[in-house]
Amino acid sequence: MFAGTPFEFNRIQLVRLIILAAVLIFMCVVASRSKLVPGRVQSIVELLVEFVHKNIVVNVLGEKDGRRFGPWLVTVFVLILALNLGFMVPGLNMSGTAVIGIPLLLALATFVIYVASGIKAHGVGGYLKHATMPPGVPGVVYLLLVPIELIQVFVVRWASLTIRLLANMVGGHMIIVVLIGLTHGLVVSLSWLTAAAPFAGALSLGVFAFKIFVAALQAFIFTILSAVYIQMAVTDEH
C-alpha cells in the first residue's frame, strides 16, 4: 500500500504490527489475571522480567537508577526478543528487526535517554566534559581524545546498536533462505545431487535453531549496552 511514498505499508510493517499487538495483548492478559501464587504462564513472564531486572538493570545501574530506567530496558528487551523471533511464526517468517527501521528507532531512543539523563545529572557543559574528558590524561592528549569521544558518544554508540542488531537478523535470515533454496534445488534436480538434499535440509534446520539463540542473544546485548551507556552518562565517574 502507498508504494513509493513515505507512507508505504509493506509486509515487514504488517509483521511488526502483528507481533506488537500480540505482545501487548498477551502481557495485558497475564497482568490482569496475575495471582499471588503464579501459574505456569505468569511464572514464565515473571522469570523473564526478573532475569532482565537482576542481570542487566540492577547489575549495571544499581537499585536507585535501576528504578528509573528499568521499565525502558525491560520493554526494549521484550520487544526486541519478540520481533527477533518473528521468523519462527508460520505465515510471518520474518524478524521484525530484519530491516533498519525498528533497530534504528530503538537505538536513537536509547541515545536520547542517555544524553538527556547525562545533561540532567551534570548540566550541558558538565556532561560534555564528563563524556569526553576522562581525568588523569595529559592536557595535550585531549586535543585528539575529545573529538574521538564526541564521535563515539553522539554517533558510534547508536549506530553500532543499530547495525549489530540489524546485521545479525538479516544475516541469519539470508543463510536460512539460501539453504532452503539449495535443498529445493537439489530435490528437483533429480540427479545424483539429490542425495545431498537431506544434508542441506538438516543444515538449514541447524541454522534455524541457532538463529533462535542469536535472537535471544541480540536482545540481551542491545539491552545491556543500552544500560551501560546510561550508566556512563549518569554516574559521577567516567
Side-chain angles (χ1 to χ4, degrees):
M1 297 174 62
F2 312 112
T5 72
F7 305 100
E8 179 177 341
F9 187 85
N10 53 33
R11 183 174 177 273
I12 188 66
Q13 291 171 320
L14 179 61
V15 168
R16 289 168 173 169
L17 287 178
I18 291 173
I19 294 174
L20 179 60
V23 171
L24 287 173
I25 293 172
F26 174 76
M27 287 296 188
C28 288
V29 170
V30 172
S32 66
R33 298 181 179 180
S34 61
K35 300 177 181 179
L36 183 62
V37 180
R40 184 178 302 174
V41 175
Q42 183 182 337
S43 296
I44 294 173
V45 173
E46 288 182 357
L47 283 173
L48 181 64
V49 173
E50 190 70 14
F51 170 80
V52 179
H53 179 73
K54 283 187 176 180
N55 293 279
I56 298 179
V57 177
V58 175
N59 194 34
V60 176
L61 292 169
E63 291 287 350
K64 180 181 177 182
D65 289 327
R67 287 193 294 270
R68 294 172 57 199
F69 301 105
W72 166 252
L73 295 171
V74 172
T75 300
V76 166
F77 180 87
V78 173
L79 179 59
I80 292 177
L81 179 61
L83 289 170
N84 284 354
L85 294 175
F87 74 96
M88 297 178 58
V89 182
L92 300 184
N93 307 115
M94 175 68 74
S95 298
T97 50
V99 293
I100 198 169
I102 290 295
L104 179 61
L105 178 64
L106 294 177
L108 288 176
T110 298
F111 166 74
V112 171
I113 288 172
Y114 76 71
V115 170
S117 301
I119 291 174
K120 182 178 180 180
H122 306 287
V124 177
Y127 173 66
L128 291 176
K129 180 180 179 180
H130 172 78
T132 63
M133 302 178 69
V137 177
V140 68
V141 178
Y142 285 128
L143 296 176
L144 178 63
L145 187 60
V146 169
I148 293 175
E149 290 291 336
L150 282 173
I151 294 173
Q152 178 183 222
V153 171
F154 292 99
V155 179
V156 173
R157 288 181 183 173
W158 62 261
S160 64
L161 285 175
T162 303
I163 295 169
R164 182 184 294 105
L165 177 58
L166 174 66
N168 277 278
M169 302 319 297
V170 171
H173 186 73
M174 292 179 66
I175 292 172
I176 291 173
V177 170
V178 168
L179 290 173
I180 292 176
L182 175 62
T183 304
H184 175 74
L186 292 172
V187 170
V188 301
S189 67
L190 298 177
S191 65
W192 64 271
L193 292 174
T194 303
F199 299 100
L203 186 58
S204 66
L205 291 176
V207 174
F208 186 92
F210 182 70
K211 191 179 176 184
I212 297 174
F213 169 75
V214 172
L217 180 63
Q218 289 305 311
F220 179 83
I221 291 174
F222 191 104
T223 307
I224 197 168
L225 285 178
S226 298
V228 169
Y229 295 156
I230 293 171
Q231 189 269 342
M232 293 173 66
V234 299
T235 55
D236 292 331
E237 298 179 1
H238 191 282

